[in-house]
Amino acid sequence: MTAHPLFDIDGRTALVTGSSRGIGRAFAQGLLEAGCTVVMHGRDPDRVRAAADALEDDRVHHVAFDVTDAEAVAIGVEEAETLVGPLDVLVNNVGIQHRAPLLDFPDAAWQELLDTNLTSAFLVARAVARGMVARGRGKIVNIASVQSALARPGIAPYAATKGALKMLTQGMCADWAPAGLQINALAPGYIDTELTQALVEDAEFSRWLRARTPAARWGTAEDLIGALLFLSSPASDFVNGHTLYVDGGMLAVV
């Protein structure tokens, strides 16, 4: 038995931002294993180079640029397309978190969240979409969060950026779907990665999470790969402006 041809992305090109570690690295590896030529991205040139080298595949390339700087983004996207040709898939994965009570939330941290989680997705998608629109095809996957629909104490600004990213995804659909692009969001639930280790190791929080999630466990980066491949493939050609939650059922229950 072979995979259905609608899910075939062999030979396509993809740029995954924020892919030197964590979920982004898993996304890059998943696309590579599905047959894509992948450009990994990070802000630190040495770290992203090491991440790309670790995959030991000549279809893996890397670029380093600041996703919050419009000029740097334009140069970085041009470099990526010089390396692999026109981009078929963009995964906007860059994101950060700051936790603090809202009354005490620092102004600088608020701005950094907006710049990194929201503005970067706009800047990179705009730069990549120019070529996609001209070619009449392309897949953009913005990495949102279960916090696009749910809030918790201490992370209101993060939830605001992810909620805005969900709406930006719908806005991109409104503008670019007529040109043949599909723009969707993938929204992970609570995923066990190196960036969430403090919460994973917090016994009280992990008990709450397992009780709150119908799947009764933390998610893994591998749990997200199938959804990414679907949104990157012809199987999703009539799926547009959608947010696909991969959260173990958290949003389904109260």
Side-chain angles (χ1 to χ4, degrees):
M1 181 177 292
T2 60
H4 195 288
L6 281 174
F7 293 90
D8 183 11
I9 54 174
D10 186 62
R12 300 202 178 188
T13 58
L15 168 63
V16 184
T17 68
S19 50
S20 61
R21 59 179 178 171
I23 291 172
R25 186 187 184 283
F27 285 155
Q29 183 169 351
L31 289 165
L32 177 68
E33 291 171 350
C36 286
T37 296
V38 178
V39 182
M40 300 179 71
H41 160 269
R43 188 168 57 182
D44 183 326
D46 294 333
R47 175 177 283 178
V48 70
R49 181 184 300 109
D53 289 347
L55 291 180
E56 299 181 335
D57 194 302
D58 59 11
R59 292 172 299 149
V60 178
H61 305 266
H62 57 86
V63 293
F65 59 88
D66 181 354
V67 291
T68 69
D69 181 293
E71 183 176 356
V73 166
I75 294 170
V77 168
E78 182 178 4
E79 180 183 355
E81 295 204 316
T82 298
L83 289 169
V84 302
L87 290 168
D88 299 305
V89 179
L90 166 65
V91 184
N92 265 323
N93 173 71
V94 168
I96 59 170
Q97 171 69 287
H98 285 296
R99 295 181 177 88
L102 193 54
L103 287 176
D104 303 319
F105 207 88
D107 294 351
W110 165 266
Q111 191 60 53
E112 186 179 18
L113 279 168
L114 284 175
D115 291 343
T116 306
N117 294 357
L118 183 60
T119 301
S120 72
F122 160 68
L123 293 176
V124 179
R126 182 180 63 177
V128 173
R130 287 191 173 110
M132 290 180 169
V133 166
R135 293 186 294 274
R137 59 183 173 83
K139 303 278 186 176
I140 296 175
V141 183
N142 295 322
I143 305 306
S145 167
V146 71
Q147 260 77 52
S148 300
L150 297 174
R152 292 188 62 252
I155 61 167
Y158 176 84
T161 64
K162 291 299 184 176
L165 183 58
K166 175 182 177 180
M167 289 308 303
L168 179 60
T169 299
Q170 293 180 214
M172 290 176 178
C173 168
D175 270 37
W176 299 335
L181 280 63
Q182 292 83 49
I183 308 94
N184 294 287
L186 193 167
Y190 283 86
I191 307 299
D192 182 351
T193 71
E194 60 188 277
L195 299 180
T196 58
Q197 278 308 293
L199 292 177
V200 173
E201 294 168 4
D202 183 325
E204 182 178 353
F205 185 88
S206 282
R207 278 194 299 271
W208 170 83
L209 178 69
R210 287 191 291 271
R212 178 66 179 79
T213 306
R217 66 174 176 86
W218 281 84
T220 68
E222 289 69 29
D223 288 322
L224 306 173
I225 303 304
L228 175 65
L229 297 183
F230 165 65
L231 293 176
S232 302
S233 75
S236 62
D237 277 356
F238 202 57
V239 179
N240 228 326
H242 179 69
T243 298
L244 175 55
Y245 290 92
V246 184
D247 63 355
M250 180 175 277
L251 279 180
V253 300
V254 295

